[in-house]
Amino acid sequence: MRHLYWGPRLPRVEDLVAGEIWPLSSNDLAEDLTPEEYPIHGGFRYGETCLSVRFPDGSREVRAVVDGMAVEDEGVVVALRDGRGVGVELHYWVLPELDLIERWAVVANTGEEPLAVAEAASAGLHISRRNLILHNVAGHWAAEQQGFTQRIGPGKVVLEARRGISTHHHNPYVVLDDDATENTGDVWFAALAWSGNFRAVVEQRQFADTRVILGWNPWDSEITLAPRDRLTTPTVVAGYSDAGLAAMSHRLHDYGNALLDPRPRPVLYNSWEATEFAVDLDGQLELARRAARIGVELFVIDDGWFGRRDSIDDGLGDWWVSPGKFPDGLTPLIDHVRGLGMEFGIWLEPEMVSPASDLYAAHPDWIYRDPGVAPDTARGQYVLDLTRADVQAHLFEVLDRLLTENDIAYLKWDANRPMSAVGVDRDVQRRHIAAVYDLVGRLKAAHPGILVEACASGGGRIDFGALRVFDDVWTSDNTDAADRLVIQRGYSLVYPAKAMRSWITDVPNFLTQRSIPLDFRARVAMCGSLGIGSDLSTCDDGELESLAAHVATFLRLRPVIHDGRQFRLGDPNDDYRFVGYVSRDARHAVLFAFLLPGRLGQRSPHVRLSGLDPDTVYDFTINGVADRRSGTWLAHHGVDVWLQGDYASALVEFTAVD
Ligand code: GLA
């Protein structure tokens, strides 16, 4: 099935003509030249494909023909069929308000014997240009989401995850531009809603175009489809912007926000950096008292509250309250937190088990195991085999009971190691993620109203698949505010601020040993979904008052930051860094300005604002000086936010004059 066009809306449908494709030579035949919507392995196809199967007789050649098409509401389904026992449905679902298309595929075994599926991507996409610029992120634990660009030349670039999570390393999307900027130029983009192993291929072909394939990673995978079974791939959401990267981000942010629970994200306190594993009732009571004093809405107890968990080496899997640390269970703490007017949240790592745990002692066969080698630990833990029905049933029962017996409004769902040596079944990594989605979905259905945060050693599980079931993501274990500016900018390319948890934490930062002033740390944290991770028990009255003032500011600005439009402003390589948020009616805007340690005493650059109404006049105050300018002035001349001193910062509000 031939792809014809991807770009701005066409003025006439008659432009879509599927002319003949002539072979270039006996080495470049029409099949290979054709930009196909879903290339399937076989024949003269030598480029990357979306689907490859092995029939029961060992044949891997598929000759699929179009076998019908159905148009329903905003969707189109095209059916392809090979009479030897494989059918494919290509689903297209148009989201007109967002100007996006969702695509996914369903592969069916229409034969009488099992069908081996070696690869089943979600979508193939074509852009009729070459030498495009690829955007994605690169990094590792505590250094996620570092945006990079790379010009695509002949050949291909593959971004992927093999660790069983969508990873800290790359993210499951492809953004390609043709010399675009934030506000101008052509951008094509596609993101995969999947939180596990993925593969994104960008292939510049010899035939003057670029092919993108996005889907599950076929690496070390083979899916067996029983007769009459159907395999539905994850969704890809794709779009095109003729107005640069910001317009793309806004549509993807809207898409992400539409997946999320619509309630505002509460300002939370999390005790991890303050206590690590040393949690106990008295300490938590005191932290809660102080958290309430500074305006926190949700108090979250992190790791260490359960089983015999005193370090990373023990306790995972034993989701019963530690009697040593909480002799009367969690009720006294939860009652205290609720009495202070806050909601209560709790940390869990349900997919894991420690070798030193009751659960592992009772069920050593419940982990992924290769028959030939001893299982590996990482962070002292194993991965539970979530593809097993008994493991799924156990986890549901235990977590359901925890939520039933305790007044819990929020779960932080962690996963702190990659999968490895998973055994002989080459389809467990995919089924593991499906089981996680299912489990979270069932817990949310049984306990309506709970919010669940996705965490995988920080930002290892950030993707649209996660945003479909989770409500928040922990962006990174790196809470250094200067590093966070980089991480949060990378994150913002695709994902919305509402689900980006960012905490104010203590200095020197535990990771970087950098000491950044509180105002800077607080303003960076306000650019997402604000949390506090400081050890409040050591804060004096002045520090608590400052924190309370920042929380109050955030609560006032939260609707603009979470429901407005976010703009990446300025040059990300300058000493000055800027982030802007504008309300949907453009009557209120917030500009965050940050100064990193100056290299050359850089003068304040004019920062030009985006998203304001050109004809509206705005009041604002910078460095104590009140000013008033039109949206046109602010967009085309900009303002100077003069900052002095390493890690100086400012928050400037723009309010429309009636
Ligand atoms: C991971 C998370 C942290 C914290 C610890 C607890 O590293 O990313 O935020 O919850 O686990 O062990």
Side-chain angles (χ1 to χ4, degrees), residues 141 270 272 277 302-304 309 312 347 349 379 412 414-416 455-459 474 476-477 503:
W141 173 77
N270 179 296
W272 172 245
F277 299 99
D302 208 276
D303 202 346
R309 179 76 162 169
I312 56 172
W347 180 96
E349 199 176 354
R379 212 190 195 224
K412 179 176 170 190
D414 210 338
N416 277 308
C455 172
S457 292
W474 180 222
S476 178
D477 280 344
W503 303 345

Side-chain angles (χ1 to χ4, degrees), residues 97-98 246-247 249-255 257 559-568 580-584 588-590 610-611:
E97 279 160 26
L98 300 176
S249 297
H250 295 156
R251 276 149 59 198
L252 290 173
H253 293 174
D254 286 352
Y255 179 78
N257 282 332
V560 182
I561 294 170
H562 288 184
D563 306 326
R565 291 263 182 248
Q566 181 180 354
F567 292 90
R568 294 173 291 270
Y581 299 83
V582 181
S583 65
R584 293 300 167 113
H588 193 184
V590 188
S610 293

Side-chain angles (χ1 to χ4, degrees), residues 280-294:
D280 62 23
L281 181 61
D282 288 345
Q284 294 288 309
L285 293 176
E286 180 57 15
L287 287 171
R289 245 188 306 276
R290 287 166 174 248
R293 194 174 143 195
I294 62 172

